[in-house]
Amino acid sequence: MQIHFKQHISHRIYPIGFKFEHKQGMREPCEYTVAGYHITHDETGRVLKFEYNVIHAFYAQDISDIICQTTIDRATNNGWKTKEHAQTLWNDFGNTPINNDDETEEDWLHFEAGCDRFAIWHWFEETFDISVAELT
C-alpha cells in the first residue's frame, strides 16, 4: 500500500497539528488545523483518494471538514520547505512506539502498525532527499 500511497500524494504530507490559513470566497481567512487523514482505497490497497480532516472555527464553533492536498498547498503558497517539513514529521515519528523488533506499535501517517522502523527511515531519505542523520 505504501507505494500506491506515495504515488498518489506526490511526496507532500502535512502532519497532524499543522496549521495554515485558508480563505474561502469573500469570507475572512481563518486558521485550519490538520486533525487526521481520510484515505480511500480499493480492495487491493491502491489509494484512490487522500484527503485531510481539518478543524476550523466558524462562529465560535469548531467545524470539521475534509479537504484535498492542493487546497493546503495553495493556502500556504506552495510553501513547501522540505527540510523544515521533514523535521516536523521526524519529530512526530519520534513519538511513535517501537518494539524490540524495530517495528512500529501503532499506525503512523500511511504506515501501518508493524512497519519496520528502517523502512520509514528509508522513506524519509527518499521522499525528502536527506539523510535521517541530518534530522535531530
Side-chain angles (χ1 to χ4, degrees):
M1 187 163 119
Q2 177 185 350
I3 293 169
H4 296 299
F5 180 89
K6 182 178 170 184
Q7 290 170 344
H8 186 77
I9 64 164
S10 181
H11 303 302
R12 290 184 300 261
I13 302 173
Y14 295 97
I16 292 173
F18 180 79
K19 296 180 183 303
F20 63 98
E21 279 198 351
H22 180 53
K23 179 177 168 57
Q24 290 181 318
M26 300 299 288
R27 293 188 326 184
E28 289 293 315
C30 64
E31 183 175 83
Y32 286 70
T33 303
V34 174
Y37 309 105
H38 185 259
I39 304 169
T40 306
H41 53 83
D42 65 17
E43 61 280 348
T44 67
R46 188 173 71 91
V47 174
L48 301 174
K49 188 186 287 187
F50 178 85
E51 297 170 305
Y52 291 89
N53 295 326
V54 294
I55 297 172
H56 63 96
F58 185 72
Y59 291 108
Q61 287 186 309
D62 282 342
I63 304 294
S64 179
D65 279 331
I66 295 177
I67 62 172
C68 67
Q69 178 81 33
T70 54
T71 300
I72 301 177
D73 289 344
R74 282 194 308 267
T76 58
N77 292 322
N78 295 319
W80 179 253
K81 293 182 170 79
T82 303
K83 175 80 174 189
E84 178 181 295
H85 192 72
Q87 187 65 58
T88 300
L89 287 173
W90 182 255
N91 293 345
D92 187 54
F93 177 61
N95 296 322
T96 304
I98 307 289
N99 65 26
N100 292 335
D101 294 324
D102 287 320
E103 298 170 335
T104 58
E105 292 186 345
E106 57 188 45
D107 293 347
W108 182 77
L109 288 182
H110 60 284
F111 298 97
E112 296 176 359
C115 183
D116 184 78
R117 165 201 322 236
F118 302 107
I120 297 173
W121 288 11
H122 180 71
W123 174 82
F124 269 99
E125 292 178 335
E126 187 177 276
T127 300
F128 296 102
D129 195 29
I130 60 171
S131 167
V132 292
E134 296 176 47
L135 301 171
T136 56

